[in-house]
Structures are given as structure tokens and as C-alpha cells.
Amino acid sequence: MKNFFLTHKNPIIIILAIMMFGGVIAYENLKTSLFPEITFPKIKIIADAGLQPVDRMMVTVTRPLENAVKQVPGLKLVRSTTSRGSCEISAFMNWNSDIDLSQQRIESRINQIRNALPPDINISVEKMNPSILPVMGYTLESHSKSPIELRQIATYTIKPFLSQVEGVAEVRVSGGKTKEYWVELDKNKMSSLNITPQQINTALSQTNFIRSNGYLSDYKLLYLTITDAALTTKSDLEDVVVSNNSHRIIQIKDIARVNIQEGVEYTKINANGHDAVLIAVVKQPEANLIILTQEMEKRVKLLPNILPPGVTIKPYYIQADFVNDSVKSVTDSLWIGLGLAIIVAIIFLRSLKASTTILITIPLTLCLTVIVLYSIGYTLNIMTLGAIAAAIGLIIDDAIVVVEQIHRMHEEHPDLKSYDLVHKAIIYLFQAMLGSSLSTVVIFIPFLLMTGVAGAYFKIMTNTMIIALVCSFFVTWICLPVVYLLLGKRSKSPKTNQTEVHAVKNQAWVIWFVKKPIISFAAIIIFILLIILILPKLQTGFLPEMDEGSIVLDYKSPPGTSLQETDRMLKEVEQIIIKIPDVETYSRRTGTQMGFFITEPNNGDYLIQLKKQRSRTTEEVISEIRNKITATQPSLEIDFGQVIGDMLGDLMSSTQPIEIKIFGDNHSKLTALSKAVAAKVSEVKGTADVFDGIVIAGPSINVKPIYSQLAQYGITVADFQYQLQMALEGNPSGTVLEKEQLSTIRLVYPNSRKYNVEGIKSMQIFLPNGKLVPITNLAVVDINTGDAEIARENLQAMGVITARLENRDLGTTIQDIQQQVASSIHLPSGYHIEYGGAYAEQQQSFKELLMILVSSSLLVFAVILFLFKDFKIATLILFIAVLGISGSYLALFLTNTPLNVGSYTGLIMIIGIIGENAIFTFLQFKESCKENKVQEAIVYAISTRLRPKLMTALGAIIALMPLALGIGAGAQLHQPLAIAVIGGFIVAMPLLLIVLPSIINLLYKDQ
């Protein structure tokens, strides 16, 4: 195989061409998304049982559902929130569970207990993953159309039109009003004609239908006979016969007035200060977000041709804009860093041929990496792109080492033919190349142990790094030599140049440091002290943060506040929002929210989109809005977040980074403790949007029937309730079919929306004979204050206090909170506190990352031990590599960057990187020892490896610099990792050039 690269040159050239072409094709076909497509192990169950009191809901609905869900295999945690008439249960499965199978099992368990639940209960079960949330939203506005007309246009024109785009899972319409036919009953006429509300309801149910009578065969045809008694117009409804007692026929128009009215809804939708209809688009899980958005934009541009005059549609949220910006920022960082690193290589090598070889090899590696990513189904997202950008330094390192060795051999052996030099260089380096590549690859293997949301995302990142490094090894081993040979034979240099080059290589300073090991020991002590002293002072966080340029503002008015009063308060909030110069557009939902939640009429959220060109960060804008709302609307509870961060929070156990859980068995005590803890949390610097977790449903009017009185008048409880509902909200009694829509028929009394508390007490109820009797003769009317929601975790009651961070890191803020709570809050016997939210996730991730750090170090040790079969050098290299972490800590400390999952990953990378470089140095020393004394061999090894080491370090630092600067949202996600790696590279230089040779001299001086 001596002339392998010469004999196989042509096949390898074909492979190179295929790689380049295949890489371009794969890149163009890769799906683009913000994050990898991850299925979160969370399933949410929402049960709606009318307006039952909280305590009854707990007994009849929540507990049976919790017990059923608890039996599902793979369940990790179950949490529930019970409010008036509804409950929300979140089932958190193990990350390795089949989420589709788990959902089926939960639904099966619920079906088994259906008969034990209230008969009219409505239960929804949904998997919680990013694909259930909208990826784009539009507002539909008009100054000439009514809310009913706007809703109909959105539902029957726009929704089907947009649903035709491939990749759309659902088009959700919210806002506007539904059309209803109100039958306003005249009590006096009904009483005089002895007509009761039940008779009208019965008449409508027996009239408004379409039924088949069977088939009729006539001659050669078969006919289906149908009785069509459906109501299709207002006049049809007015002509319905209620009674025919042989004296006269009584129709609805004789005792009622039929009007077209807006449906009964306790929601309010607003966009940019105007009532509007919101249209949200949800994509299929496997759909390409960018292509879907492009097709949707084309479709929306066609809408003005089919919309009525005066109706406009505008976007208020396009996730693809943020995705494009994020991906572009990472891609730009990658290419800028690559370009700068290649310039460094050109400056050091001073050879156009060698530099061109690197310039060609790197794109080949990237093409092969993209082909592999495409083949295993990965998408182009900020995690995979960030992984390639972070690994670009290591990829350049592989190319530099090989090219530099070939280039050096040309300098030392100018008379040898190019293919002999190339072959000799590869044979010489192969052992070290294999060992160094393994040392950087094996550090990422333990990441398979990582769990949780951090593990789900960062495993994709580390897998991509492994793929990139393995591809880099094969490209530099097989393809790079052929590329070098293709660039032509190097002109021969006079032999005198060889001596001159050797003279330059001997670095006098190396022997000076080798003879003064005290300097190296002092450096070691300094690096150890840096690790010990800086680590406790580092800020800590969970996931790296991004500036998305969009804000989610959740709000809650005081319990029982009417929709109209809440709307009035929010209009004042909107006056604050529109005066912020950084705000571009906003939308507001009241009585409903983005996502899958229980929402009361006094709750809702804003989605605020900021301008791309602005001078302030999103957090600074949030701080201004928060301060102004708190000053002008103190009764409004508010909570700020960013869209993607909020989405990830919804998919995890808590949307807020700070979550304090108090467990106990007495709701009154839990409420008191929650208020006390929330007060202490509010005093801690760096906390914002502190919420005590106490949610009170609005006050209720309890109408208690007197059964003996009902029996005396011959009225059933069901009939009594039916009439009471008719006087207030009205009773649905069938539908009217118009074109493609069904409009509800609602039986109501005139002025039903104007009742007050005293008005209910003066209400009259129809007797079976059509006469009227005051409600006070039949029932007792009382006013009750609202009940608090009940939160539970794993079947135990708890109080939950939450808060967000403002200009402070997670770790130190939690430490202060723990000190405040421990010193000021005294828990009764049987009560205990746990800290959840992002802090719990952070602690779990840090434990796993520490285990990964130890495992990675041991794997690097094993690779070196296997390579050199020398326990001393394996221990030394591992020790040097671990000391490199001090540079990462120092860089994080000086740049005020928190230690989070991203920067922790950078620490682990540094161990492999330093181990890789040390392998080449020791290999050179080992080879030189065959002909020289130990100190001479050390000087030669360090002098020989000086140029590639400096090229590698500077190339990697410059390649990572665009990421470290964090320009763009996507780059911000990888900024902590890049800073940690750069810091490690800087410290690696004295460790590899001074400390390592000094210790090698001490270990091997007697050999």
C-alpha cells in the first residue's frame, strides 16, 4: 500500500466530487426549524364539568382522573389544578417512554372510569409538544363589518383557503362573534296562553330535523325518501307551531320575538387597539417551517382578491422570521469564523498550496457532515448548526495538523516526490490522528446519559459534533492527501534551506522552562486556585438565553372582575404598550390564551412583537413595560416571558424559572404559607412577577331549591334549573342550517343580560299550568365568595409560588431565596418545601454533566493509555487537560457569563481538545527520543509542534469568536459554550508549551 494515494487517486477524486455534489443537494433538502423536532414527555388532560364548585370537582373529577393516570406505566410525575367547573392534569412521562402509546394508555384508563365521572363531563387529552402551538398568526380587521361577519369570513372563507397549504395541521380562529337566533319569550303572553318554556323547547326539538323514511323503487330507479323539517330561515323559526288545542294554533311569533344576536362568549380579542379576529396557523410536526411560511405568504397575498371590500389581513407573529434570523446568525458566525481561521493558516504556513488544501478540505468535511445529517433525519436548526460552528475549530485543527506535517516534510526532504512525502506524513501521523480524533469524539459519548429538556436538545448537538469530527477524520486521512497532490508538485528548494529551517525550529526558551520546573509547578498551583476560587463566584443558569424580539405578557385581573372591567383596565395597559417606541405590533386575548390551558374570563395574554431595528434588548423593554403597568394598574397581576422560552416552559413542569412548592394537607394553612413565602421572595433582589399561586374563582350566586315547595307546585328540579338558565344565559334549543354553517337557536327572556343580584330574587318561574310564581317561593338565593384553586402533585396538595428573574442569575437568586425562607418561614409538622422550575432542571442537569465530565475524562484517559501503553503519560495528559478548565472558568467570570448547560458542555470539550494536542506532542517526543536525549527530544518536540499548536489555537479561537460575541439570537444560544472553549484554548497554550514539557522531563529524565 506504499503508493495508495497515487494508485487510488482517481477513485478518491470521484468520491470527492460526489461528496461536494451530494452535500449541496442534502443542504438544499434539509428541513429548517428553530429547534430539533423533540417530542416532550408531557400529556395534558383537561376536564370540563360545567360550573361545579371546587371541592365537588376535586372529589368527583380530579381524584378519579389522577388515580387512573397514576396507573399508567412510565409515569414520572402527575400534577393537577382544580378550579370551579374544570381541572387540568399534567402527566409527565419518562423521557424514554413512547409518548403516543402513553397517550393511548391514559385515554384507555379514563374510559374505564367514565361511568364513575359526572355524565356531562367533557375530557380532552393532548400530547404537549411544540407542534401544537401556532407558528404564524394573522389579524383580520374591518371598520365596516360586524364581529359576526368577520368571524364568518375567517371561518368559512379564510380557514379553508389557508388549510390547502401543504404542511398545515390546523387553522385556529378566535375572536369575533358567532351568529345566534334568539327567541325572546314574552312572559305575559305565555302566561295568558298557558304556554311553558318546556313546551317551546319540545316543539323545536320535534320540528327541526331531517330524517330518512326509507327507499322507494320506481321503474328502473331507487329513490331515498326524506322528511326535511329543518329550519333554514328566520321566518321558518317564527312559524314553528308550539300548541294546537283545537281552539287556536299558537306559533313562536305569537309569543316571542326572533332576533339575530351575537353568541354568548366571555372572551375578548384585540389587535393593535382594535377588536379583531385572530387566525393562528399550526404546522404538521414534520413540516418544513420555512417552506410552509413561504407558501403561506403566497396564499395570504391572494386573499385580498376574495375578501370583501374593507376587510384586511395582517401578520402579527411569524415564527419563521425569528428562525431565519437565528439560523442566519449561526451560519454567518460559522462562515466568518472559518474564513478568519483559514487566513490564520495562510499567515503561518506561508504556502499557497498548503493553504488552498485546507480551504478545499474544510468544505469537503462540511459536505460529508451535511450528507450524514440528512441521511439520519436531522434538521437544519440552531443546535445542529451551532454544533458545526463549535466544532469548526477542531475540524480546522485536523486539517492543519496533516497539512503542516506534509509541508514540514517538504521542507526537510525537498528531493522526495510529492506522493512519497504525503504517504510518509500520513503513516507517521496516523497513530496520533486516530488517538487525537478518538479523544475528541469519546468526550461526547457520555452525553447519552443526559436526560430532561437539556439532554433532549444538547444530545442532538453533541451527536452532530461526533458526526462532524468523524467526517473530519476520514476526510483528512483519505481525501486531504489527494487534494494536496492534485494541486501540483511543489518546486524543489535548495538543500541549504533545510538546515536553515532546522536552526529556526530549536526554541531556546523551551529548555529554560524545562530546567526550571518550579515555574510549571507555580503555574499548576495558580490554575488549581483559579478553579477553586472562581467556581463558587460564577453565576449559574439553566439553558442559555436568547433575545427573541417578542414578548408574552400574561395577565390576571382580581377574582370575579367582569369581562368589561378587565377590558377597560387592559385598554389602559395598551396605551402604555403603544407608546413604547420599540413595539411594532401586538395582539391580546382575554378569556383565552395561546396553548392548551384552563382560562377564566379575567385571564389572558398579550403577544407583543418588537421592531427588528431597536436600540434596547427585549429584557430592557420588558422591564420598562413591567414598571409602568405596576405603577398604573397595581391590581393587575402580570407575568412576562418570551415566546420560545414560554413555549419550552409550558412543555416542562413550570413556565417560570423560580418555583417553590409547599406540601401539606390543609388548604387554609397552605394559602397562608404561600402568601408568606411570596412576600419573602419579593424582597429578594433579582426577582420579578412574583405570584403566590393563589387563584380565586369569582363570587357565585347559589340558588338552593326548596324541594317541598317544588313538589307542591309540581315542578321538577331540572325544569326549575332550565327556566333559571333561560332567564340568564338562555338555553340552546337546536340550530338553523344556513349554507355551510349552523347557527344556535337560543331561548331567552328579554333583557336577560341586564339582571343583577336583586333582579334574580325578583324572578318569576312558570308552573306546569302556565302561571307564574316568584322564585323566592321555590328557592333560597345566597351570595358566596369565590373558592381557591387546588394544586396537587403526585396526589398531595401543595401551594406553588413562582417568579421570574430580572437582571440576575438563577443560582445566586435561589440561594438568597432559600436563606430568606429558611430563616423566616416556620413550617408546621407534616409540611415541607421543594424547589422546582428551571432550578430543579438545572440541578439535575448539573449532576448529570458532572458525571459526564468524569466519564469523558476517563474515556480520554483510556484512549491515551491504549495509544501509548504508558500509565504515567496518560495520567499527566489527563491532569493537564483538567487544568484547562481553569481558563474556561476565568473566561466565564470575566465576561459575566453564567455556568449553564451550554458553558458546561464547553468545559467538557476542552478536556478532549487539550488531550488531542498533548497526544501529538508526546508522539513527537517519543519518536525524537529514539535519536536524542530526553531534554533534546523535548525541545525538538515542542519546537516542531509550536507552529501547528499556535495555528490550531488561534484558528479555533478566531473561528469561535463570532459565536462568542453572540451577535444574533441563534449565536446567543451558543455564546456560553464558545466563551468557555476560547478560555480553555488560551490557558491550553502555557499548559502544553511550558507545563507539559517540564513534567515530561521529570518523568522521563532517567530513561
Side-chain angles (χ1 to χ4, degrees):
M1 296 298 288
K2 183 179 179 181
N3 296 321
F4 173 83
F5 297 110
L6 184 64
T7 57
H8 291 78
K9 184 169 69 172
N10 292 334
I12 293 174
I13 290 171
I14 298 298
I15 292 172
L16 294 180
I18 293 172
M19 282 169 51
M20 291 292 285
F21 183 73
V24 173
I25 298 298
Y27 181 80
E28 290 178 349
N29 286 277
L30 271 175
K31 294 177 181 177
T32 306
S33 60
L34 181 63
F35 288 112
E37 292 289 346
I38 300 295
T39 300
F40 284 74
K42 179 178 179 180
I43 299 171
K44 186 176 282 189
I45 304 104
I46 290 184
D48 186 352
L51 294 174
Q52 291 194 48
V54 173
D55 54 353
R56 186 173 179 83
M57 277 292 301
M58 173 59 66
V59 174
T60 61
V61 179
T62 305
R63 281 180 182 165
L65 287 175
E66 283 180 335
N67 290 329
V69 171
K70 193 73 174 167
Q71 300 174 41
V72 174
L75 181 74
K76 183 179 179 181
L77 178 75
V78 60
R79 291 183 68 162
S80 69
T81 301
T82 307
S83 60
R84 185 171 62 191
S86 59
C87 76
E88 181 181 297
I89 299 173
S90 295
F92 298 91
M93 315 304 294
N94 292 323
W95 275 91
N96 58 356
S97 299
D98 184 329
I99 197 68
D100 294 306
L101 180 60
S102 297
Q103 182 182 5
Q104 292 171 9
R105 286 171 172 169
I106 288 175
E107 290 171 338
S108 175
R109 289 289 182 183
I110 291 172
N111 287 332
Q112 290 176 14
I113 64 165
R114 272 280 184 179
N115 293 334
L117 299 174
D120 57 346
I121 191 170
N122 182 28
I123 299 176
S124 302
V125 181
E126 289 283 351
K127 292 181 299 183
M128 299 301 291
N129 58 64
S131 63
I132 71 167
L133 300 172
V135 294
M136 60 192 81
Y138 299 90
T139 61
L140 191 68
E141 300 178 43
S142 174
H143 297 291
S144 57
K145 299 293 182 181
S146 67
I148 291 176
E149 290 173 314
L150 273 182
R151 177 71 169 261
Q152 290 178 339
I153 291 169
T155 304
Y156 301 107
T157 301
I158 297 176
K159 182 175 180 177
F161 187 75
L162 297 183
S163 297
Q164 293 175 0
V165 176
E166 184 179 354
V168 172
E170 182 186 1
V171 177
R172 297 173 185 165
V173 176
S174 57
K177 296 293 182 181
T178 56
K179 181 181 179 180
E180 290 189 350
Y181 286 86
W182 282 19
V183 181
E184 296 186 345
L185 306 177
D186 189 321
K187 284 187 177 182
N188 293 329
K189 288 182 179 180
M190 289 173 62
S191 180
S192 62
L193 295 171
N194 297 329
I195 301 294
T196 65
Q198 281 291 359
Q199 286 179 269
I200 301 172
N201 184 46
T202 302
L204 286 170
S205 62
Q206 293 180 353
T207 303
N208 191 12
F209 64 83
I210 300 176
R211 291 177 188 163
S212 169
N213 307 314
Y215 287 100
L216 173 66
S217 179
D218 183 11
Y219 193 46
K220 295 181 179 180
L221 298 175
L222 185 66
Y223 296 91
L224 174 66
T225 62
I226 296 173
T227 300
D228 186 354
L231 305 177
T232 57
T233 64
K234 178 182 173 183
S235 59
D236 288 347
L237 180 57
E238 291 173 332
D239 292 338
V240 170
V241 176
V242 176
S243 173
N244 182 3
N245 58 5
S246 72
H247 296 292
R248 65 174 294 179
I249 296 173
I250 301 173
Q251 297 175 297
I252 282 183
K253 62 185 176 183
D254 297 326
I255 55 173
R257 186 176 63 199
V258 179
N259 291 321
I260 296 175
Q261 295 282 357
E262 297 176 352
V264 180
E265 294 179 2
Y266 293 97
T267 60
K268 190 84 173 176
I269 305 297
N270 183 305
N272 300 317
H274 307 290
D275 290 342
V277 173
L278 299 185
I279 300 165
V281 179
V282 180
K283 78 176 185 73
Q284 293 280 0
E286 300 300 322
N288 189 323
L289 175 62
I290 304 303
I291 294 176
L292 173 64
T293 304
Q294 291 170 352
E295 294 300 316
M296 189 61 69
E297 287 176 350
K298 293 177 184 176
R299 204 76 178 164
V300 170
K301 287 179 181 178
L302 299 175
L303 272 175
N305 299 327
I306 62 173
L307 291 178
V311 178
T312 58
I313 184 169
K314 300 175 183 177
Y316 70 87
Y317 175 66
I318 304 294
Q319 191 184 90
D321 290 346
F322 176 66
V323 174
N324 281 328
D325 291 344
S326 300
V327 170
K328 185 177 182 299
S329 68
V330 178
T331 307
D332 290 347
S333 298
L334 194 159
W335 290 117
I336 292 170
L338 177 59
L340 292 173
I342 290 173
I343 292 172
V344 169
I346 293 171
I347 293 171
F348 272 87
L349 291 173
R350 297 192 298 275
S351 167
L352 183 61
K353 180 179 177 180
S355 303
T356 306
T357 303
I358 294 174
L359 187 63
I360 295 173
T361 304
I362 303 303
L364 283 172
T365 302
L366 296 179
C367 284
L368 184 58
T369 303
V370 169
I371 291 171
V372 177
L373 292 178
Y374 179 75
S375 63
I376 63 175
Y378 278 17
T379 61
L380 204 62
N381 54 67
I382 58 177
M383 301 307 291
T384 51
L385 278 171
I388 295 172
I392 202 73
L394 300 176
I395 294 171
I396 293 171
D397 180 30
D398 289 344
I400 284 175
V401 166
V402 176
V403 169
E404 199 274 340
Q405 185 65 33
I406 296 171
H407 187 62
R408 184 177 300 281
M409 285 196 166
H410 264 301
E411 292 175 340
E412 295 175 354
H413 307 283
D415 292 331
L416 285 178
K417 294 180 180 179
S418 291
Y419 56 82
D420 287 331
L421 283 169
V422 167
H423 185 75
K424 186 177 180 181
I426 295 299
I427 293 298
Y428 177 79
L429 282 177
F430 181 76
Q431 183 184 13
M433 282 174 60
L434 182 61
S436 64
S437 294
L438 282 174
S439 69
T440 49
V441 169
V442 295
I443 60 173
F444 297 115
I445 294 175
F447 275 88
L448 295 172
L449 303 171
M450 201 169 180
T451 61
V453 63
Y457 284 129
F458 277 82
K459 268 190 279 193
I460 301 290
M461 180 176 173
T462 53
N463 288 347
T464 305
M465 283 188 176
I466 291 173
I467 291 167
L469 294 174
V470 171
C471 291
S472 175
F473 172 76
F474 282 105
V475 169
T476 52
W477 175 38
I478 297 173
C479 301
L480 184 147
V482 174
V483 172
Y484 191 89
L485 291 172
L486 281 174
L487 293 176
K489 186 177 179 181
R490 182 180 178 273
S491 60
K492 294 184 179 181
S493 303
K495 289 186 177 181
T496 53
N497 287 348
Q498 180 181 350
T499 306
E500 293 175 3
V501 171
H502 276 295
V504 173
K505 287 178 184 175
N506 290 324
Q507 305 292 330
W509 57 266
V510 178
I511 194 67
W512 189 84
F513 281 112
V514 167
K515 290 181 177 180
K516 293 181 172 57
I518 189 68
I519 297 174
S520 296
F521 285 114
I524 290 172
I525 293 170
I526 291 171
F527 292 139
I528 292 174
L529 287 175
L530 283 175
I531 294 174
I532 295 171
L533 297 176
I534 292 179
L535 181 58
K537 296 181 179 180
L538 280 179
Q539 299 180 16
T540 59
F542 178 40
L543 293 176
E545 296 180 355
M546 296 184 295
D547 191 330
E548 302 173 28
S550 56
I551 301 170
V552 175
L553 164 55
D554 295 320
Y555 57 83
K556 186 179 298 180
S557 60
T561 305
S562 67
L563 184 64
Q564 292 75 17
E565 176 60 16
T566 301
D567 184 54
R568 183 199 63 78
M569 295 168 68
L570 296 173
K571 283 181 178 176
E572 295 184 13
V573 169
E574 285 159 20
Q575 293 301 311
I576 295 172
I577 293 173
I578 61 176
K579 290 179 182 177
I580 305 290
D582 301 295
V583 173
E584 184 172 19
T585 181
Y586 72 87
S587 61
R588 186 244 293 181
R589 285 147 292 276
T590 306
T592 182
Q593 286 177 283
M594 294 185 296
F596 191 56
F597 303 100
I598 299 172
T599 308
E600 297 288 341
N602 64 321
N603 293 13
D605 60 32
Y606 281 95
L607 177 55
I608 305 169
Q609 193 69 38
L610 303 182
K611 295 175 181 176
K612 289 187 178 181
Q613 303 299 325
R614 61 183 190 278
S615 57
R616 297 186 297 174
T617 65
T618 300
E619 285 299 326
E620 289 171 340
V621 177
I622 285 175
S623 182
E624 180 184 353
I625 297 175
R626 177 188 288 122
N627 293 335
K628 289 185 176 180
I629 293 176
T630 304
T632 58
Q633 299 294 330
S635 62
L636 204 63
E637 291 181 3
I638 53 175
D639 178 36
F640 286 88
Q642 297 191 60
V643 175
I644 306 299
D646 224 40
M647 177 197 74
L648 292 176
D650 292 340
L651 297 173
M652 295 188 289
S653 59
S654 174
T655 55
Q656 285 82 7
I658 300 171
E659 181 186 60
I660 306 165
K661 298 180 285 189
I662 309 172
F663 291 92
D665 55 7
N666 185 292
H667 293 297
S668 299
K669 287 183 179 179
L670 285 175
T671 300
L673 287 169
S674 296
K675 290 180 177 178
V677 170
K680 291 299 176 184
V681 172
S682 299
E683 295 173 4
V684 175
K685 180 185 176 183
T687 59
D689 304 337
V690 179
F691 177 49
D692 58 18
I694 302 167
V695 179
I696 307 292
S700 61
I701 298 173
N702 187 21
V703 181
K704 183 72 174 175
I706 303 172
Y707 296 105
S708 59
Q709 292 292 97
L710 291 176
Q712 180 180 343
Y713 285 105
I715 304 175
T716 65
V717 176
D719 184 32
F720 174 78
Q721 188 277 330
Y722 182 84
Q723 292 194 51
L724 188 58
Q725 182 176 333
M726 184 177 294
L728 297 171
E729 190 173 271
N731 284 302
S733 186
T735 56
V736 173
L737 177 63
E738 296 178 295
K739 296 179 182 179
E740 296 181 0
Q741 66 184 38
L742 289 172
S743 300
T744 300
I745 300 170
R746 189 176 294 273
L747 302 182
V748 298
Y749 291 136
N751 301 319
S752 60
R753 292 292 174 272
K754 297 181 180 178
Y755 269 106
N756 53 29
V757 176
E758 292 302 318
I760 292 177
K761 294 180 180 180
S762 61
M763 192 182 295
Q764 291 185 312
I765 301 296
F766 277 95
L767 300 178
N769 60 7
K771 302 303 179 184
L772 292 166
V773 64
I775 192 173
T776 50
N777 291 1
L778 306 173
V780 177
V781 181
D782 292 324
I783 300 176
N784 293 337
T785 56
D787 297 322
E789 288 184 356
I790 298 175
R792 285 156 59 94
E793 183 173 286
N794 286 337
L795 313 186
Q796 186 176 11
M798 65 175 179
V800 184
I801 300 93
T802 58
R804 292 194 183 270
L805 298 169
E806 186 175 31
N807 302 322
R808 201 177 181 201
D809 69 293
L810 177 63
T812 54
T813 305
I814 289 289
Q815 286 178 5
D816 288 353
I817 290 173
Q818 289 173 332
Q819 291 174 2
Q820 282 273 25
V821 171
S823 62
S824 306
I825 305 298
H826 303 287
L827 298 177
S829 177
Y831 288 72
H832 69 280
I833 288 179
E834 292 181 8
Y835 291 84
Y839 176 74
E841 296 272 358
Q842 179 214 54
Q843 293 300 299
Q844 176 66 24
S845 295
F846 277 17
K847 287 178 184 176
E848 292 171 348
L849 284 166
L850 180 60
M851 184 171 59
I852 290 168
L853 179 64
V854 173
S855 303
S856 299
S857 302
L858 292 175
L859 286 172
V860 170
F861 177 81
V863 168
I864 300 169
L865 189 62
F866 180 80
L867 185 66
F868 296 120
K869 301 175 183 63
D870 187 334
F871 188 82
K872 289 187 296 183
I873 193 61
T875 305
L876 174 60
I877 291 176
L878 178 61
F879 177 66
I880 294 293
V882 172
L883 285 180
I885 293 176
S886 62
S888 301
Y889 283 163
L890 185 61
L892 294 173
F893 180 73
L894 294 176
T895 57
N896 205 29
T897 303
L899 180 64
N900 52 38
V901 176
S903 48
Y904 218 129
T905 304
L907 302 182
I908 296 168
M909 285 179 63
I910 278 298
I911 290 177
I913 291 168
I914 295 178
E916 174 193 24
N917 280 274
I919 285 172
F920 282 105
T921 300
F922 187 75
L923 177 70
Q924 195 81 51
F925 164 75
K926 192 177 177 184
E927 290 295 322
S928 182
C929 270
K930 295 176 181 178
E931 300 175 359
N932 301 293
K933 294 181 180 179
V934 170
Q935 289 190 355
E936 292 174 352
I938 291 172
V939 173
Y940 178 77
I942 296 299
S943 300
T944 304
R945 302 309 306 166
L946 180 61
R947 183 168 64 179
K949 272 187 172 57
L950 291 175
M951 288 170 62
T952 297
L954 285 175
I957 289 170
I958 290 175
L960 287 170
M961 193 59 70
L963 280 182
L965 294 174
I967 301 170
Q972 288 170 359
L973 186 68
H974 301 291
Q975 185 179 28
L977 183 148
I979 290 172
V981 173
I982 288 174
F985 259 118
I986 292 171
V987 169
M989 287 298 98
L991 283 171
L992 292 168
L993 298 176
I994 298 173
V995 177
L996 179 64
S998 298
I999 306 300
I1000 289 176
N1001 180 58
L1002 293 175
L1003 292 176
Y1004 294 93
K1005 63 182 179 181
D1006 297 329
Q1007 296 184 11

